[in-house]
Amino acid sequence: MKFGTKAIHAGVEPDPTTGAIMTPIYQTSTYAQAAPGDHKGYEYSRTQNPTRDALQKSIASLENGKHGLCFASGLAAIDSIIKLLKPGDEVISANDLYGGTYRIFTKVFANFGIKFHFIPMEDISSIESYVNDKTKMIWLETPTNPMMNIIDIKGAADIAKKHQLLLAVDNTFSTPFLQTPLDLGADIVMHSVTKYIGGHSDVVMGAIVVNDDTLAEQLAFLQNSCGGVTGPQDSFLVLRGIKTLHLRMERHCQNGRSVAEYLKNHPKVEHVYWPGFENHPNHEIAKAQMKDFGGMISFVLKDDSTEAAMEVLKRFKYFTLAESLGGVESLCGHPASMTHASIPKEEREKVGLKDSLIRLSVGIEDIDDLISDLEQAIG
C-alpha cells in the first residue's frame, strides 16, 4: 500500500461482530476465560487490548516496521527504551534534543548508573570518538528540537552496526510521512504520538516501532511489566487522527515553507532555522532522507532579548502560546522557559538555543491568516 492508503487501512479491519468500520473502543479492564488460560487472546488490558492492538499495527505499518508498541506518553516510550540497558552502559546522544528527553536521561537514568554523552551530530563522524566497550546505544532526533539540526540517519546506522550498537531515532518532528528511519538502518523508532500522529491536541501518547523480533519481545515485556500503557479511548482517537496524517502533513509542509520564507525576508528577524533552506546545515542530507521539510520552524529576532521575544509571543492571535506541537492549530513557544527549561542555560547556549528563540508549529489554517498574524505580532 502507498502511504495514504496505509493511513486509512493498515492495522484496521471492520469489526467482525457488527461490521463497524471504525475499530470499537474496548473499554474493558479484563476478559472472560472459559477456563484458566483458555481465552480469545486477551486476558488483561494492561497486557493486550484490541483497540490498542489495532493502533500498534497501524503505526508499525506507517513506519515500514514489523512491531509497534504504544505507551501512555512519549516519555513512557523513552523510559522503556532506556530500560533495555543496565548500570554501567553508555549512550551517545545528540546534544540538541527535547528537554524532557534530556531530563529523563540526566535526572533519572543517570542515577541508575547509565552514562550519557551529549555531542553535536551534524558531522556524524564525531560519534566514533565516544564509542568504547561500554557503549550500547546511539540516540538522536532529526530534525532536532528546537534548532532543526539534521543528522544523517544512514550514516549513524552504519556506525551503530560497525560497533554493534542500537540506534534509536526520535521521529516525532518528521513523522513516517516524511522519513522512515528503519529503512535507513535504525533499530528503534520512537514517537511522541501526542504531536503529529495524533494531530488534534487531544491525546498524550508515545509509540515505538522495531523490526527485530527479540527487541520487540523485550520492549513488550517492559510495556507490560512497567505498565505505562495507553488506554482504549486514546487509542481510538489516534486511529482516527492517523486517517488524515498524509493530508495534514502535506498542508503543514506547504504552510511551513510559506512561513519560513516570510520570516527569512522580515527586516526584524535575524535568523530562521528551517531545514528547507539551501544554506541550512546538512540541507542535502535532509533532501535525501526526508520527503519534505515539515512545519516546525524556529527563529530569533534582531532585537536579541527575551523581552522582545515575549512581546511577540503575547501579540499572536492565531499562533497560540502553548506547550507541545504538531496539532492542526498553529502553536508558538519559548523553548528556554517552556519545553527546554529543564536543560541548564549554559548547555542550551552551546547549541545556539538563545533565550530569545521562538519556536513555531505551523498548523493547517489558511496561510494568509497566518502570515497576517506574523506581520502584526512581529511588527
Side-chain angles (χ1 to χ4, degrees):
M1 289 185 282
K2 301 293 185 181
F3 190 92
T5 309
K6 282 186 183 182
I8 304 296
H9 295 288
V12 178
E13 298 288 343
D15 178 56
T17 57
T18 67
I21 291 295
M22 286 301 293
T23 303
I25 303 169
Y26 287 90
Q27 195 71 51
T28 183
S29 62
T30 193
Y31 306 83
Q33 301 187 28
D38 180 7
H39 52 74
K40 299 179 180 180
Y42 297 93
E43 301 168 84
Y44 188 58
S45 275
R46 172 168 40 77
T47 311
Q48 306 110 347
N49 178 279
T51 316
R52 189 174 82 227
D53 283 355
L55 175 60
Q56 292 177 154
K57 291 175 184 175
S58 177
I59 293 177
S61 177
L62 295 180
E63 281 287 2
N64 295 333
K66 191 174 177 182
H67 306 281
L69 302 101
C70 288
F71 296 80
S73 67
L75 281 168
I78 294 171
D79 177 75
S80 286
I81 293 170
I82 304 302
K83 283 176 179 171
L84 294 168
L85 308 178
K86 62 181 185 300
D89 289 346
E90 297 189 6
V91 177
I92 302 171
S93 170
N95 66 342
D96 177 30
L97 73 171
Y98 169 54
T101 306
Y102 181 89
R103 182 178 59 226
I104 198 171
F105 285 179
T106 60
K107 303 295 185 184
V108 179
F109 285 106
N111 295 332
F112 294 96
I114 298 173
K115 185 175 181 179
F116 296 87
H117 302 276
F118 298 96
I119 67 169
M121 289 189 183
E122 291 74 38
D123 177 2
I124 52 98
S125 64
S126 63
I127 294 173
E128 294 221 57
S129 62
Y130 288 85
V131 175
N132 59 57
D133 59 357
K134 296 180 179 179
T135 308
K136 295 296 184 288
M137 181 181 291
I138 299 170
W139 181 279
L140 60 87
E141 302 173 4
T142 181
T144 63
N145 182 5
M147 305 307 297
M148 311 301 157
N149 291 315
I150 298 297
I151 300 171
D152 182 353
I153 298 173
K154 186 178 184 304
D158 290 343
I159 293 171
K161 285 176 173 55
K162 175 182 175 182
H163 297 282
Q164 297 183 310
L165 311 175
L166 289 172
L167 174 62
V169 179
D170 182 338
N171 201 29
T172 298
F173 270 25
S174 292
T175 81
F177 180 77
L178 297 183
Q179 69 185 15
T180 47
L182 294 178
D183 293 336
L184 297 170
D187 299 291
I188 301 170
V189 176
M190 171 265 161
H191 285 278
S192 174
V193 176
T194 310
K195 315 305 194 291
Y196 284 108
I197 291 181
H200 293 78
S201 301
D202 54 6
V203 170
V204 174
M205 189 186 296
I208 299 171
V209 181
V210 299
N211 276 324
D212 183 80
D213 294 344
T214 301
L215 199 53
E217 186 177 338
Q218 292 171 329
L219 288 164
F221 174 83
L222 289 165
Q223 180 193 43
N224 182 52
S225 299
C226 300
V229 297
T230 188
Q233 175 70 37
D234 285 353
S235 297
F236 173 87
L237 289 172
V238 174
L239 280 167
R240 182 194 63 176
I242 283 176
K243 291 183 183 294
T244 58
L245 177 60
H246 54 305
L247 302 176
R248 290 186 283 108
M249 289 306 298
E250 287 173 355
R251 184 61 172 261
H252 283 300
C253 291
Q254 178 185 337
N255 281 358
R257 181 178 295 276
S258 296
V259 167
E261 293 287 354
Y262 172 79
L263 290 171
K264 184 180 180 181
N265 295 307
H266 198 289
K268 290 188 176 182
V269 174
E270 177 66 28
H271 190 77
V272 183
Y273 300 91
W274 182 66
F277 291 137
E278 290 186 2
N279 65 346
H280 188 88
N282 283 349
H283 169 72
E284 291 302 317
I285 293 173
K287 281 177 63 177
Q289 69 187 23
M290 298 175 71
K291 182 178 178 180
D292 206 331
F293 303 108
M296 294 302 301
I297 299 166
S298 294
F299 70 98
V300 291
L301 301 167
K302 288 183 177 177
D303 181 352
D304 184 23
S305 67
T306 304
E307 292 74 21
M310 291 298 181
E311 285 303 312
V312 171
L313 292 168
K314 289 177 184 176
R315 286 196 292 264
F316 276 127
K317 295 180 180 178
Y318 300 129
F319 284 89
T320 302
L321 179 62
E323 299 273 357
S324 200
L325 59 102
V328 291
E329 63 287 308
S330 292
L331 299 176
C332 60
H334 182 246
S337 65
M338 297 170 71
T339 54
H340 291 66
S342 59
I343 300 177
K345 180 181 175 69
E346 59 272 18
E347 295 299 320
R348 296 197 304 263
E349 291 180 344
K350 285 180 184 177
V351 301
L353 203 176
K354 298 181 177 181
D355 285 352
S356 60
L357 184 132
I358 294 171
R359 190 189 73 181
L360 301 178
S361 173
V362 182
I364 65 172
E365 301 94 336
D366 191 293
I367 189 58
D368 291 340
D369 291 326
L370 297 181
I371 297 297
S372 296
D373 199 24
L374 289 164
E375 285 178 353
Q376 65 83 24
I378 299 172

